[in-house]
Amino acid sequence: MSAQDRLTDALYGLGWSTVKKLPEPVAVRLGRTIADAAWKQRGKGVQRLESNYARVVPGAGPERLAELSRAGMRSYLRYWMESFRLPAWSRERIAEGFTAKDLHHLTEGMDAGRGVILALPHLANWDLAGAWVTTRLGIPFTTVAERLKPETLYDRFVAYREGLGMEVLPHSGGSAFGTLARRLRDGGLVCLVADRDLSASGVEVDFFGDTARMPAGPALLAQQTGALLLPVTLWYDDSPVMRGRVHPPVEVPESGTRAEKTSVMTQALADAFATGIADHPEDWHMLQRLWLADLDPAKGRP
């Protein structure tokens, strides 16, 4: 392991061991202080965040984009402070930490026994939403995690999410899709973060007026298993409680090839994500390149 990898792992370990012991108001202030310091540094992540917000909020000038990126960094650090502290939260604190609109889409789907896929963008705190599902609703679920470097950091994230009641599968290795399909056929719940895919199998979608690529997995799983596919969007307000909405199901088209159906369904997911992101852009934690024109200018629209 390189010195940089050891440092990265140590910093995350420090977060989970130290931040979770802080009183909540202290952790909130610490997160805001770190966010503001990072925002003032104007690093690559902050610049990319502003570039992404410029697509989400057309016509926003430099002053508005700076306001959004500052709020975005505060939201991003709120996510991290909550995530570091979640293992120490009581069941009651988790149950009170989130509320969702139109939850009936999820509960009715689970009651029907057909399996449910929840697909989310990188909005607010998806880990808290997952912990709420396992704690408040008592529904276990399966998810997928990217293999991070170093391996010890990946192990930390897996242990953290498993401690919150999630079954975590590695993204690489090729066996995740089959396991997810089995869980769904058994009437289970699968949760996937699904607004960014850089693989060759990603589906091109129109997203805020330009082309991006999103994962095909949610649509393919719904087609193959008959599971219900539900977009979910999350956001913060000025309270300690995170908010969310379960959107209406994305239906499988009656006609077309598998690829055509997958394209239509993934576009429907992208449209639902865009609705939530447009309403709460500062809670979209996308500090990476997403649109094809940013990844490779030759692939962007003229």
Side-chain angles (χ1 to χ4, degrees):
M1 186 188 302
S2 69
Q4 180 63 44
D5 285 347
R6 287 196 296 272
L7 177 61
T8 300
D9 182 59
L11 288 173
Y12 279 100
L14 181 65
W16 270 301
S17 64
T18 302
V19 174
K20 71 179 181 182
K21 299 176 183 177
L22 297 175
E24 190 156 343
V26 175
V28 170
R29 290 196 298 270
L30 176 61
R32 181 161 292 197
T33 300
I34 295 171
D36 288 349
W39 177 77
K40 289 177 182 177
Q41 288 293 320
R42 301 283 304 161
K44 290 182 179 179
V46 173
Q47 294 179 47
R48 176 51 52 190
L49 192 63
E50 284 189 10
S51 176
N52 290 338
Y53 286 160
R55 293 179 180 273
V56 173
V57 187
E63 185 175 342
R64 173 60 176 149
L65 290 174
E67 291 174 353
L68 278 173
S69 66
R70 184 178 189 181
M73 291 303 294
R74 287 182 171 186
S75 176
Y76 185 48
L77 264 295
R78 176 173 172 175
Y79 159 76
W80 278 113
M81 291 297 109
E82 287 178 348
S83 295
F84 287 142
R85 290 176 49 76
L86 265 175
W89 280 14
S90 67
R91 292 179 63 85
E92 292 73 20
R93 177 65 182 90
I94 292 173
E96 295 170 356
F98 177 57
T99 183
K101 297 179 180 179
D102 300 326
L103 188 64
H104 66 92
H105 292 305
L106 169 59
T107 56
E108 290 172 2
M110 295 301 297
D111 289 344
R114 61 182 292 191
V116 175
I117 306 158
L118 298 181
L120 307 88
H122 287 81
L123 273 169
N125 191 339
W126 47 97
D127 284 330
L128 172 56
W132 184 86
V133 167
T134 61
T135 302
R136 180 68 177 265
L137 301 184
I139 302 174
F141 68 87
T142 304
T143 189
V144 173
E146 179 185 359
R147 278 201 175 276
L148 302 172
K149 297 294 183 180
E151 191 76 14
T152 51
L153 180 58
Y154 169 77
D155 292 340
R156 285 186 188 274
F157 271 95
V158 169
Y160 155 65
R161 290 184 170 126
E162 288 180 342
L164 298 175
M166 312 174 193
E167 179 188 22
V168 183
L169 307 176
H171 183 272
S172 59
S175 62
F177 188 92
T179 302
L180 295 174
R182 287 193 295 274
R183 300 291 183 268
L184 292 168
R185 290 194 185 99
D186 290 339
L189 177 64
V190 164
C191 299
L192 300 170
V193 179
D195 59 343
R196 183 171 184 260
D197 190 317
L198 304 182
S199 72
S201 61
V203 178
E204 291 188 4
V205 296
D206 182 274
F207 196 53
F208 290 101
D210 210 341
T211 305
R213 190 180 292 125
M214 295 188 180
L220 289 172
L221 283 166
Q223 292 176 61
Q224 186 164 315
T225 67
L228 200 64
L229 176 55
L230 301 174
V232 176
T233 53
L234 310 171
W235 66 92
Y236 290 127
D237 58 17
D238 294 329
S239 77
V241 180
M242 186 176 70
R243 315 290 173 174
R245 177 190 174 197
V246 182
H247 294 251
V250 172
E251 303 292 347
V252 178
E254 294 183 0
S255 61
T257 65
R258 186 170 73 163
E260 290 169 343
K261 292 178 180 179
T262 301
S263 178
V264 170
M265 296 172 71
T266 306
Q267 182 63 60
L269 281 180
D271 293 342
F273 294 166
T275 298
I277 293 167
D279 288 342
H280 304 277
E282 68 279 2
D283 292 323
W284 189 42
H285 307 150
M286 187 54 66
L287 281 72
Q288 300 86 21
R289 298 176 189 269
L290 178 72
W291 283 270
L292 299 192
D294 295 332
L295 292 163
D296 183 354
K299 295 181 179 180
R301 291 180 177 177

